[in-house]
Amino acid sequence: MADPSQISRLDKLRITREYLAYQLQRTDTAIRELAAQEKQNRHRAEQARADQGWKIQPKRGEAPPVLHRGGCATYKAKDGMLLDRGQARLAVTHETYIVMCEICTPQTDLQEG
């Protein structure tokens, strides 16, 4: 093994650069992994929020308005347009005619609970 005092300054700088490049690569990998994990966590939180809410598809032509669970893919509501249980119950009782989505069956979760 060579005596460290015999390694030229240029070689020391090249070794240091290689080590720092390695550390940068590892840091970039960790950042990408954490960013992906945070994105998944945000998506899960948004999905959980949607699953706990309801949304109303507006009346179209002769078709009556339709009540959906927040996570129902049949109708995409705009962000922030979710109703809580009380609001959904109120809409169902005060709306002249509102139908329940046959796919997500929102009425099962409108019961007292």
Side-chain angles (χ1 to χ4, degrees):
M1 182 167 171
D3 182 8
S5 63
Q6 299 299 320
I7 299 175
S8 72
R9 183 162 185 249
L10 179 59
D11 286 339
K12 287 179 184 178
L13 287 173
R14 286 181 177 149
I15 291 168
T16 301
R17 186 189 179 290
E18 268 187 56
Y19 175 74
L20 292 174
Y22 168 76
Q23 290 291 15
L24 180 59
Q25 180 184 6
R26 291 198 44 154
T27 301
D28 287 344
T29 300
I31 288 170
R32 280 191 301 276
E33 289 171 357
L34 287 173
Q37 187 177 28
E38 284 183 8
K39 184 178 178 180
Q40 286 177 340
N41 289 343
R42 277 192 306 273
H43 178 72
R44 280 191 207 110
E46 289 169 5
Q47 188 62 43
R49 181 180 170 272
D51 289 344
Q52 294 174 4
W54 287 263
K55 56 191 174 183
I56 297 177
Q57 181 177 355
K59 178 179 178 178
R60 286 189 178 160
E62 296 299 316
V66 181
L67 183 68
H68 298 272
R69 285 298 315 211
C72 182
T74 306
Y75 171 68
K76 300 279 187 197
K78 293 183 178 161
D79 291 338
M81 298 299 290
L82 291 176
L83 306 173
D84 63 25
R85 178 177 281 133
Q87 292 168 324
R89 278 190 196 137
L90 190 64
V92 169
T93 57
H94 285 76
E95 193 67 37
T96 54
Y97 182 63
I98 191 166
V99 295
M100 304 296 150
C101 174
E102 294 177 4
I103 306 296
C104 65
T105 60
Q107 66 275 15
T108 58
D109 294 321
L110 281 178
Q111 301 166 359
E112 291 293 330

